Amino acid sequence: MENTLPNRRAQQLAAFSRLLDVLDRLRAECPWDQKQTMASLRHLTIEETYELSDAILRDDLTDVKKELGDVMLHLTFYAKIASETGHFDIADVLNAQSDKLIFRHPHIYGDTKVQTEEDVKRNWEQIKLKEKGNTSVLGGVPTSLPALVKAMRIQEKARGAGFDWERPEQVWEKVQEELQEFGEEFSQASKTPETKERATAEFGDLLFSLINFARFADINPEEALERTNRKFIQRFQYIETAAARDGHQLADLTLSEMDKYWEQAKQVPLIDNNSSPEK
């Protein structure tokens, strides 16, 4: 595949130029496109990013191609809007990105020697600290990230700075410690706002330590949780379908009756392109 890529460079550049031409015309002639601002596009971009994520999780490359196009349109749209105010254009964006990649890969474009992926990550974080505006290793973690993803990024960045556990066993011991502390707070007889606050804090510590252990186990906790979400949805929808087939309203079933359908659902192979059938 690599040997054929250079032969496609002209087509790739032409396709990107065509997208820019189409966007220029839409911005000039389409009432909807004319109305858009960076702020109005923001929530749509987030939605498109999640749709791309869903396609990747399904391993649906046809949809991945389509969703990549949608995301690419949004990125060029932001640059187009900025060019109209004279702040920057798509060339500035791409050149700045290339400059950053070259600067942050001195083991490729310079004389720095690395042996492992961890060396690369450590150098990356140290270089970012030297860049203008970065005063903390954790300063580059977006505040609006979902909490689970943010925890992953915080831990990865701390590891890049050399602050991390040495062995998985230590992390698992921390999980057990946090689980015990949460259990102690949750079991308090008096559920006052103070005890609830302490239990909430301990539950957060427990989740953080579980995410940390997942990292050591080379498990992506976001992906793992999403697979469990999909598994639950499929099995719950089986309950709904089976109950209706038997002439029952779900709301009229007892928990014991629903459990019987749940056990049946567990025998149905999961529809998941990312893994083998699971029971």
Side-chain angles (χ1 to χ4, degrees):
M1 182 66 177
E2 291 183 358
N3 293 331
T4 65
L5 286 178
N7 299 328
R8 288 278 292 169
R9 183 64 74 207
Q11 292 94 321
Q12 291 166 349
L13 293 174
F16 190 58
S17 179
R18 182 187 179 202
L19 174 61
L20 296 178
D21 289 341
V22 169
L23 184 56
D24 284 345
R25 183 170 183 181
L26 293 179
R27 186 68 169 169
E29 301 179 19
C30 174
W32 185 89
D33 290 277
Q34 290 174 334
K35 184 179 179 181
Q36 299 313 305
T37 65
M38 289 190 182
S40 69
L41 287 173
R42 176 181 173 275
H43 75 282
L44 298 174
T45 306
I46 294 172
E47 180 179 334
E48 295 294 354
T49 303
Y50 276 110
E51 290 180 359
L52 172 61
S53 175
D54 286 346
I56 292 172
L57 285 176
R58 295 195 308 272
D59 196 24
D60 187 335
L61 293 184
T62 299
D63 264 9
V64 168
K65 181 178 71 172
K66 179 177 76 70
E67 300 302 342
L68 279 173
D70 291 339
V71 173
M72 183 70 72
L73 169 62
H74 279 247
L75 300 182
T76 55
F77 209 150
Y78 288 118
K80 172 65 177 176
I81 293 171
S83 72
E84 294 168 354
T85 59
H87 286 85
F88 58 83
D89 65 8
I90 192 65
D92 298 318
V93 172
L94 298 180
N95 282 323
Q97 183 63 30
S98 294
D99 290 342
K100 182 170 69 174
L101 287 173
I102 292 170
F103 181 68
R104 292 187 182 176
H105 288 78
H107 55 289
I108 302 297
Y109 295 96
D111 299 327
T112 300
K113 303 297 182 183
V114 297
Q115 299 296 328
T116 66
E117 177 187 358
E118 289 302 320
D119 292 338
V120 174
K121 291 180 178 179
R122 190 174 300 107
N123 285 341
W124 181 279
E125 296 300 339
Q126 292 173 354
I127 291 171
K128 288 183 66 175
L129 278 177
K130 297 177 183 177
E131 294 175 351
K132 183 178 178 181
N134 288 331
T135 59
S136 169
V137 169
L138 304 181
V141 180
T143 57
S144 59
L145 275 180
L148 192 151
V149 178
K150 186 188 292 186
M152 291 170 55
R153 296 297 294 131
I154 288 172
Q155 293 169 6
E156 289 169 352
K157 285 183 173 292
R159 179 176 180 82
F163 185 76
D164 202 5
W165 300 92
E166 294 179 349
R167 302 187 310 277
E169 297 80 17
Q170 296 172 309
V171 190
W172 184 245
E173 289 175 4
K174 186 63 175 176
V175 171
Q176 299 301 313
E177 175 188 325
E178 297 295 352
L179 179 60
Q180 180 178 347
E181 291 178 0
F182 168 69
E184 291 171 354
E185 291 294 343
F186 184 76
S187 64
Q188 295 295 324
S190 60
K191 293 297 186 292
T192 65
E194 291 76 14
T195 58
K196 181 179 179 181
E197 177 62 28
R198 290 198 299 270
T200 299
E202 293 297 344
F203 188 70
D205 292 344
L206 174 59
L207 284 178
F208 193 84
S209 62
L210 280 170
I211 293 168
N212 218 351
F213 183 75
R215 181 169 56 86
F216 269 80
D218 196 25
I219 294 172
N220 185 311
E222 171 72 19
E223 180 179 334
L225 181 58
E226 177 57 20
R227 289 190 179 189
T228 296
N229 290 339
R230 292 171 183 265
K231 178 168 61 177
F232 183 89
I233 289 171
Q234 179 176 321
R235 290 177 177 174
F236 189 82
Q237 288 176 340
Y238 176 92
I239 295 176
E240 294 175 314
T241 301
R245 181 194 60 211
D246 293 342
H248 302 306
Q249 293 289 332
L250 198 61
D252 297 331
L253 295 178
T254 65
L255 182 57
S256 177
E257 290 170 330
M258 283 191 282
D259 279 340
K260 292 179 180 179
Y261 285 119
W262 181 264
E263 291 302 319
Q264 294 175 17
K266 289 169 64 176
Q267 304 307 313
V268 178
L270 295 175
I271 302 174
D272 185 351
N273 292 328
N274 295 287
S275 63
S276 57
E278 178 183 350
K279 292 185 178 180

